């Protein structure tokens, strides 16, 4: 199982970058955002109307926007259901272990797009770990040999061909004739790393709530 690492919610990153792009070519580290309220009434001695002002960094105002839309952004690392259960097991928290596994199962099986269908494309993203760069894999869900079963075949990955231990890093979630081909991938990699595309449309986007 690959390690879990800290990941920024992609929606928060998009909002931050949109604010930073208000000044094309600007260096994000040097940017500030100023919001000004100009009040009616008597002007200051220098002729400037009275006003209130707020200033902050782009990531600060992005956080305000994100919280208003989606709630407070998660901090810390996102863990797969299996990693959450293993953490609880190390703490000797049996209820927490069972709860993490149950919640992971329920989150998958209650999704509006569940179960996976032949033709679905499943993308999984891995952050860099040690000498291994960040990379992605794409799987295709295909009909299985048995009625009601399905297979999940590795279509492509983005690791360089000379990557050390390449065979052990890619394709480990491919399955044949499985009643639920996504279950292992969902539990081990975690839903936050997965994007599922059906009929050319994303129906599950990793990192979303």
């Amino acid at each position: 199982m690959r390690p879990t690492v800290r990941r920024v919610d992609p929606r928060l990153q998009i909002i931050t970058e949109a604010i930073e792009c208000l000044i094309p070519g600007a260096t994000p580290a040097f940017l500030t955002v100023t919001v000004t309220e100009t009040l009616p009434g008597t002007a200051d001695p220098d002729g400037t109307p009275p006003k209130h002002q707020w200033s902050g960094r782009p990531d600060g105002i992005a956080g305000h926007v994100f919280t208003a839309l989606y709630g407070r952004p998660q901090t810390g690392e996102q863990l797969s259901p299996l990693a959450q259960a293993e953490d609880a097991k190390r703490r000797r928290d049996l209820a927490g272990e069972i709860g993490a596994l149950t919640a992971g199962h329920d989150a998958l099986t209650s999704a509006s797009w569940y179960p996976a269908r032949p033709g679905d494309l499943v993308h999984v993203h891995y952050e860099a770990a040690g000498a291994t760069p960040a990379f992605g894999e794409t799987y295709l869900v295909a009909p299985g040999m048995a009625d009601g079963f399905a297979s999940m075949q590795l279509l492509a990955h983005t690791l360089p061909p000379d990557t050390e231990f390449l065979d052990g890093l890619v394709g480990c979630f491919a399955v044949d004739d499985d009643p639920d081909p996504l279950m292992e991938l969902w539990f081990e990699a975690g839903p936050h790393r997965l994007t599922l595309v059906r009929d050319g449309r994303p129906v599950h986007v990793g990192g979303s709530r």
Side-chain angles (χ1 to χ4, degrees):
M1 186 175 61
R2 296 177 176 88
T4 54
V5 297
R6 187 179 302 272
R7 186 182 184 190
V8 177
D9 189 302
R11 296 168 299 176
L12 180 58
Q13 187 172 352
I14 290 169
I15 296 170
T16 303
E17 291 174 354
I19 296 170
E20 292 171 346
C21 288
L22 290 173
I23 301 180
T27 302
F30 300 153
L31 284 174
T32 58
V33 178
T34 300
V35 180
T36 301
E37 177 192 20
T38 301
L39 303 174
T42 305
D44 291 342
D46 62 357
T48 303
K51 60 186 177 182
H52 295 147
Q53 214 172 63
W54 176 92
S55 294
R57 291 188 45 75
D59 54 355
I61 194 169
H64 283 289
V65 173
F66 184 96
T67 300
L69 291 172
Y70 308 113
R72 191 174 298 278
Q74 293 183 352
T75 57
E77 59 187 6
Q78 292 179 276
L79 300 177
S80 69
L82 184 59
Q84 294 177 43
E86 289 174 345
D87 274 359
K89 185 176 183 179
R90 283 191 292 270
R91 299 192 305 268
R92 300 182 183 274
D93 178 3
L94 179 60
E97 181 182 359
I98 295 173
L101 296 174
T102 301
H105 177 272
D106 291 348
L108 173 60
T109 57
S110 65
S112 60
W113 46 263
Y114 178 86
R117 301 175 188 170
D120 287 351
L121 292 174
V122 184
H123 305 272
V124 55
H125 168 78
Y126 301 103
E127 293 86 357
T132 304
F135 72 99
E137 295 178 309
T138 302
Y139 292 88
L140 171 67
V141 178
M145 297 295 291
D147 185 39
F149 284 49
S151 298
M152 196 161 66
Q153 308 160 357
L154 178 68
L155 284 183
H157 65 82
T158 59
L159 278 174
D162 59 350
T163 301
E164 190 174 9
F165 307 120
L166 179 64
D167 291 341
L169 289 171
V170 299
C172 59
F173 292 112
V175 294
D176 292 317
D177 289 322
D178 193 302
D180 202 334
L182 277 181
M183 187 68 71
E184 183 180 10
L185 181 57
W186 183 271
F187 268 81
E188 290 201 20
H192 60 289
R193 287 201 177 116
L194 306 182
T195 300
L196 190 142
V197 177
R198 175 172 295 162
D199 301 330
R201 301 285 186 181
V203 293
H204 171 80
V205 180
S208 67
R209 292 171 68 92

